[in-house]
């Protein structure tokens, strides 16, 4: 009887060492960016109820948190502020003594090895919770750009290594790039939230950042989850306007978008593994329904496989520990 002819793909899966030898995608500690929420109150470390293991911290706990990251081998952090005072223009966002500006200065002075990324938006600072100035019930795009640019400049003055605007106003990269250049910060890169969907996965973040809109929603400026070509248009505009990195947010439900953005544009691509994606796995793991380590490392690897060069993730500490073990 003639021997069957077929491919023997299993030859490359036979042992742990063989699988490691031919592995195509690698998740590294260097890929991880940890988000931190900084409070203006003193002597506070609050666990976010919907995000087990994630804390809001006051400045007197900040250095301890940053040293833990360094000891774990994590090299980058993105800073979100939770101010005590809010107003209609989000003025604490661009206050030179605002909470994010103070946090950046402290990190750069006390833990200088960390790369500090500043989230640049108004939603945590406005009393209405929107990412720009509200006029007649709508977000005034161009007026908002002026305030977002002021925010970016004060963050650069404080020592931020990277500015990460997340507001989704039209022209925000061009405005910030011009503002930084004119203020003498042409060396500071812009990590644009280029593709940011109006997603249901953001709920726990709004608990942590106290940024829930007080009326309406953000669908007039964040993207429709059904749209693919719009993502390419948004990313293309940001590339033309001078972005240095592109973020896709959320990540897990948008791996197809991530792959397409990476294939079309030759800039470093950042996946934002958002709060809802984190909370779901944490809840399932606490109930014993999933193997947390296995599922987290699998999904982070999937983001790398889809084209991400870097990953903003609340799992950064856990992932760093697990990567050290393996």
């Amino acid at each position: 009887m003639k021997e069957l002819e077929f491919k023997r793909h299993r030859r490359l899966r036979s042992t742990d060492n063989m699988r490691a030898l031919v592995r195509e995608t690698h998740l590294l500690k260097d890929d991880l960016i940890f988000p931190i929420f900084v409070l203006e109150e003193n002597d506070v470390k609050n666990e976010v109820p919907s995000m087990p293991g994630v804390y809001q911290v006051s400045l007197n706990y900040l250095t301890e948190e940053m040293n833990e990251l360094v000891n774990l081998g994590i090299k980058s952090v993105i800073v979100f502020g939770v101010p005590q005072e809010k107003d209609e223009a989000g003025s604490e966002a661009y206050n030179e003594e605002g909470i994010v500006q103070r946090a950046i200065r402290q990190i750069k002075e006390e833990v200088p090895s960390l790369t500090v990324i500043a989230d640049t938006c108004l939603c945590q600072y406005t009393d209405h919770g929107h990412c720009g100035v509200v006029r007649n019930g709508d977000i005034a795009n161009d007026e908002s750009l002026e305030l977002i640019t002021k925010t970016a400049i004060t963050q650069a003055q404080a020592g931020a290594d990277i500015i990460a605007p997340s507001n989704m106003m039209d022209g925000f990269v061009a405005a910030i790039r011009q503002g930084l250049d004119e203020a003498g910060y042409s060396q500071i890169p812009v990590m644009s939230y280029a593709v940011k969907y109006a997603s249901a996965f953001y709920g726990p973040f709004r608990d942590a950042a106290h940024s829930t809109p007080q009326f309406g929603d953000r669908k007039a400026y964040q993207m429709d989850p059904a749209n693919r070509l719009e993502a390419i248009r948004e990313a293309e505009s940001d590339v033309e306007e001078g972005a240095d990195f592109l973020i896709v947010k959320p990540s897990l439900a948008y791996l197809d978008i991530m792959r397409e953005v990476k294939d079309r544009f030759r800039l470093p691509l950042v996946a934002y593994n958002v709060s809802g994606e984190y909370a779901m796995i944490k809840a399932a793991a606490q109930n014993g329904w999933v193997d947390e380590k296995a599922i987290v490392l699998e999904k982070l690897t999937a983001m790398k496989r889809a084209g991400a060069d870097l990953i903003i993730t609340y799992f950064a500490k856990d992932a760093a520990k697990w990567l050290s073990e393996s």
Side-chain angles (χ1 to χ4, degrees):
M1 181 178 178
K2 185 178 180 181
E3 185 177 350
L4 292 174
E5 294 183 4
F6 52 86
K7 306 291 185 182
R8 294 196 178 272
H9 300 289
R10 291 178 56 192
R11 290 172 182 153
L12 302 184
R13 305 174 194 154
S14 57
T15 66
D16 284 344
N17 284 346
M18 183 68 76
R19 290 188 290 274
L21 188 67
V22 299
R23 187 161 293 135
E24 301 171 26
T25 304
H26 298 274
L27 178 67
L28 306 173
K29 293 182 184 180
D30 288 351
D31 304 330
L32 305 174
I33 301 170
F34 184 68
I36 187 79
F37 299 95
V38 188
L39 295 166
E40 284 197 301
E41 293 90 336
N42 194 43
D43 205 31
V44 176
K45 186 174 182 179
N46 292 332
E47 186 172 35
V48 180
S50 55
M51 300 175 71
V54 174
Y55 294 86
Q56 302 166 320
V57 299
S58 52
L59 291 173
N60 60 312
Y61 285 110
L62 181 59
T63 300
E64 176 185 312
E65 284 283 308
M66 297 302 101
N67 283 328
E68 181 184 3
L69 296 178
V70 172
N71 290 335
L72 287 170
I74 296 168
K75 298 179 180 179
S76 303
V77 60
I78 184 166
V79 181
F80 297 90
V82 185
Q84 286 183 307
E85 301 294 330
K86 303 188 180 196
D87 57 37
E88 64 178 10
S91 58
E92 283 300 302
Y94 43 89
N95 181 352
E96 293 181 7
E97 293 301 319
I99 184 58
V100 163
Q101 289 80 356
R102 290 159 59 198
I104 291 169
R105 283 195 293 270
Q106 181 173 324
I107 296 169
K108 297 307 293 183
E109 288 171 5
E110 299 184 6
V111 195
S113 64
L114 280 173
T115 296
V116 179
I117 304 164
D119 178 76
T120 307
C121 197
L122 301 180
C123 62
Q124 297 106 286
Y125 307 91
T126 55
D127 53 15
H128 46 73
H130 281 283
C131 302
V133 179
V134 177
R135 294 286 181 255
N136 300 317
D138 191 22
I139 310 303
N141 191 93
D142 296 4
E143 189 176 348
S144 299
L145 291 180
E146 296 178 19
L147 302 184
I148 292 161
T149 300
K150 287 174 63 177
T151 301
I153 292 170
T154 62
Q155 291 170 338
Q157 289 170 341
D161 298 294
I162 299 172
I163 298 299
S166 58
N167 53 88
M168 288 298 286
M169 296 296 108
D170 290 339
F172 69 109
V173 173
I176 289 172
R177 183 72 274 158
Q178 180 177 325
L180 289 174
D181 291 352
E182 291 177 352
Y185 297 103
S186 60
Q187 80 282 6
I188 301 295
V190 174
M191 180 183 285
S192 171
Y193 285 69
V195 180
K196 183 177 180 181
Y197 285 92
S199 172
F201 285 101
Y202 300 152
F205 173 90
R206 292 170 184 171
D207 288 342
H210 299 171
S211 61
T212 302
Q214 298 304 298
F215 66 89
D217 53 41
R218 295 177 178 149
K219 293 180 181 179
Y221 44 101
Q222 295 178 359
M223 290 173 47
D224 185 338
N227 290 356
R228 178 182 65 85
L229 295 178
E230 184 182 8
I232 303 306
R233 294 197 298 270
E234 288 280 0
E236 185 173 37
S237 294
D238 288 2
V239 172
E240 292 171 352
E241 291 172 17
D244 300 283
F245 302 79
L246 301 174
I247 298 176
V248 173
K249 180 182 181 181
S251 53
L252 196 57
Y254 297 89
L255 296 178
D256 59 323
I257 303 299
M258 204 177 301
R259 179 74 268 165
E260 191 157 3
V261 170
K262 184 63 177 180
D263 286 346
R264 286 175 178 256
F265 306 105
R266 299 306 180 192
L267 292 180
L269 181 64
V270 185
Y272 198 137
N273 177 208
V274 300
S275 59
E277 298 167 347
Y278 174 89
M280 290 189 302
I281 291 176
K282 278 292 183 183
Q286 288 180 346
N287 280 285
W289 297 337
V290 297
D291 179 332
E292 182 178 3
K293 174 182 175 180
I295 204 168
V296 169
L297 293 180
E298 181 178 341
K299 76 163 185 172
L300 295 179
T301 300
M303 294 168 199
K304 290 290 302 291
R305 190 187 66 242
D309 300 288
L310 302 167
I311 304 172
I312 301 171
T313 178
Y314 304 96
F315 280 113
K317 290 181 181 180
D318 292 330
K321 292 173 185 175
W322 293 328
L323 290 171
S324 291
E325 291 170 2
S326 61

